[in-house]
Amino acid sequence: MAGTAFSDLPPELMAKIHENLAFLDRLAFAAAVSAPSRDAFKPEPPWLVLPGETQENARVFSLADRRSATVRAPDPAMRDHVILGSSGGWIVTPDERGRMRLANPVTGEQGDLPAIATIPFLKADQGGRYFVLIMEPFVQLRYTGELESWPLRPHPYGTFTLTDGDMRRWFYRKVVLSTSPRPGDYAVLVLGNYFGTPAFATAEDGRWRVAPSRDGVEDAIHHKGKFLSVTYTGTVEAWERDGVSGEFTSKVVTTRMANGGDHRHCSKYLAAAPDGRLMIVLKNAKRVKDLFELQVFDETTQRWEAAEDVGDLAILVGINSSLCVSTTKHPELKAGCVYYTDDKIGKASLRRGARCSSWYHRGDESHNDDSDRNVAMYSLKDGTAESIPELGEHLSWPPPACSYLPSHDRCAGLRFLDQRTPESIFRVYI
């Protein structure tokens, strides 16, 4: 094969070479080949984005290979920014001024999302330092005027004020992207951290629209072309956009989870299995054992059923996404396990503030939350949690986030900080 040019190899051979490479080499190899060959490559398993040693860098970690790489953090979208959502290799980050952006951590591409103050009853002062939520029109839309049986905190009248820095710590919760977002082509759903209220934006609309949600939205995903959400009471809804008005409305697609009201003190994550089954992962942070519980919706009986065995599936939950993947396709992941990351943005920010205060001493382990297990793997069958030792010690702010690797047609802008080159990897395998 000495006389064969790089571009002359058949796609199936290129795919075989790619499949046998390690995490970092797969990325670099994909950056060197043409689009037809990349189309044959096996999809990557989920990965983590963690803060780098400096604001200019970020760290990506493969859960399959248990290896990491340092990449450049594009400015301004990824400098000391929390990751609120991810899809198709794209992430959403809010900055200290409350502005949200789309970014691709591997290629460096980025774009602005609409300003959150395009919501009519959320006002920003001229300097952009404060955001004021005017409560009366908000609760009228949020609860569609039915306020009698829904005691609200804060009071439904008056205002609710946050600083620009508080927006990412306490107001935003999660941003759910459409399946293949990119600047100019996306649809997103943002969930209020305190109010459980969905707001949608699309590229062509250029503004946020708050949607009625009487039972509130606790978590959401984008599945088979639709946004799906789970309410605080354990019901799943599907969201549709009206082609004329541009407004989003929901339709109930499952029955309510049994004793759904009893789970109000648990965090709920919605996920979809590769075969389409809907799942709700319940996290009770107050428990040491039985930290997670899984409910699976049975389409035949139209009931939610508790499950301790999910077969060859692994579920990933956290601050920015809920994913369910096949361990048959990704045998490096452990079946029947929940991989989870820290999901409390505000508390992580407070811990960072404590580390920076005068009474904090890095040598005092009682204050060093960077040594806490904020990324771990939980066995649904055994009820035990294990850390991922290959991650090593890492910063806890911004909190770690889970994502999929970008589609291979966007690997051309790959920018590692080491000296790895696609050509050197290619020469080894031919």
Side-chain angles (χ1 to χ4, degrees):
M1 195 178 291
T4 302
F6 184 84
S7 59
D8 293 336
L9 293 178
E12 57 271 18
L13 178 56
M14 302 284 266
K16 187 66 175 178
I17 295 172
H18 176 266
E19 183 178 346
N20 285 278
L21 296 174
F23 172 50
L24 307 185
D25 293 341
R26 285 197 302 271
L27 294 181
F29 186 76
V33 303
S34 61
S37 295
R38 288 195 294 266
D39 290 341
F41 290 177
K42 177 182 175 181
E44 291 285 350
W47 57 303
L48 296 176
V49 180
L50 301 104
E53 295 182 358
T54 69
Q55 289 192 10
E56 290 73 29
N57 301 334
R59 183 180 169 203
V60 294
F61 179 84
S62 169
L63 288 170
D65 292 275
R66 301 292 180 95
R67 295 180 63 188
S68 64
T70 300
V71 297
R72 300 187 189 281
D75 188 31
M78 284 189 63
R79 298 292 169 89
D80 190 36
H81 289 0
V82 176
I83 297 176
L84 292 177
S86 89
S87 179
W90 288 88
I91 61 176
V92 173
T93 66
D95 64 16
E96 278 283 6
R97 301 298 300 274
R99 296 168 297 198
M100 288 188 288
R101 293 183 175 89
L102 277 170
N104 189 311
V106 174
T107 67
E109 294 176 83
Q110 56 187 286
D112 292 335
L113 291 180
I116 196 66
T118 54
I119 294 175
F121 40 75
L122 183 65
K123 306 296 183 182
D125 69 355
Q126 289 186 351
R129 305 298 304 189
Y130 293 93
F131 291 83
V132 180
L133 182 63
I134 304 171
M135 295 305 300
E136 184 173 2
F138 165 72
V139 297
Q140 290 292 336
L141 175 57
R142 163 74 161 79
Y143 294 98
T144 60
E146 301 174 15
L147 306 179
E148 309 81 34
S149 59
W150 291 88
L152 298 174
R153 297 185 181 90
H155 194 275
Y157 303 105
T159 60
F160 189 87
T161 302
L162 289 166
T163 68
D164 52 358
D166 285 338
M167 295 298 286
R168 71 173 183 176
R169 297 181 184 93
W170 307 107
F171 186 78
Y172 301 137
R173 178 174 186 159
K174 178 178 288 189
V175 175
V176 181
L177 294 165
S178 54
T179 304
S180 300
R182 60 185 309 144
D185 182 18
Y186 61 83
V188 291
L189 162 66
V190 63
L191 308 177
N193 188 37
Y194 185 86
F195 303 102
T197 306
F200 295 84
T202 59
E204 66 266 26
D205 197 358
R207 61 175 173 143
W208 290 100
R209 296 173 180 262
V210 172
S213 180
R214 193 166 181 271
D215 283 355
V217 170
E218 187 166 3
D219 191 36
I221 58 175
H222 193 266
H223 179 63
K224 292 185 176 180
K226 290 184 178 181
F227 289 105
L228 300 177
S229 64
V230 58
T231 69
Y232 286 101
T233 55
T235 299
V236 175
E237 299 174 321
W239 294 84
E240 295 277 1
R241 181 174 184 259
D242 185 281
V244 178
S245 69
E247 301 292 341
F248 282 81
T249 56
S250 65
K251 177 183 178 181
V252 173
V253 293
T254 72
T255 55
R256 180 175 296 184
M257 187 171 52
N259 300 319
D262 294 339
H263 295 295
R264 285 175 294 179
H265 300 294
C266 295
S267 299
K268 296 184 187 69
Y269 299 98
L270 180 63
D275 61 6
R277 285 178 298 162
L278 294 177
M279 303 177 177
I280 295 176
V281 180
L282 299 164
K283 178 184 178 183
N284 190 330
K286 296 182 178 180
R287 296 178 183 172
V288 176
K289 189 174 176 63
D290 299 328
L291 176 63
F292 287 97
E293 177 186 337
L294 181 65
Q295 296 277 328
V296 179
F297 187 69
D298 189 316
E299 288 282 357
T300 303
T301 63
Q302 291 291 295
R303 296 178 58 184
W304 291 98
E305 304 288 349
E308 294 183 355
D309 184 3
V310 289
D312 68 341
L313 302 178
I315 305 172
L316 300 95
V317 299
I319 187 176
N320 72 309
S321 62
S322 304
L323 310 171
C324 184
V325 296
S326 167
T327 57
T328 300
K329 293 184 177 179
H330 301 295
E332 306 89 349
L333 300 179
K334 192 171 181 180
C337 286
V338 176
Y339 291 78
Y340 63 97
T341 63
D342 186 10
D343 57 1
K344 305 296 182 184
I345 302 175
K347 290 183 178 180
S349 176
L350 291 176
R351 290 195 297 268
R352 178 185 66 161
R355 292 200 307 274
C356 296
S357 67
S358 59
W359 53 263
Y360 175 80
H361 301 285
R362 184 163 294 276
D364 184 349
E365 289 300 324
S366 64
H367 299 304
N368 187 3
D369 81 294
D370 286 344
S371 64
D372 290 347
R373 185 163 56 194
N374 59 4
V375 179
M377 178 181 65
Y378 178 87
S379 170
L380 290 167
K381 185 173 294 186
D382 300 336
T384 57
E386 300 178 17
S387 62
I388 301 176
E390 292 85 355
L391 268 176
E393 294 186 2
H394 56 273
L395 299 174
S396 60
W397 179 267
C402 185
S403 181
Y404 278 117
L405 282 167
S407 57
H408 292 300
D409 62 344
R410 296 177 188 156
C411 284
L414 192 67
R415 295 185 294 177
F416 289 121
L417 295 188
D418 60 18
Q419 299 303 311
R420 187 180 309 271
T421 64
E423 291 80 5
S424 64
I425 297 167
F426 179 75
R427 284 196 295 270
V428 170
Y429 283 86
I430 60 174

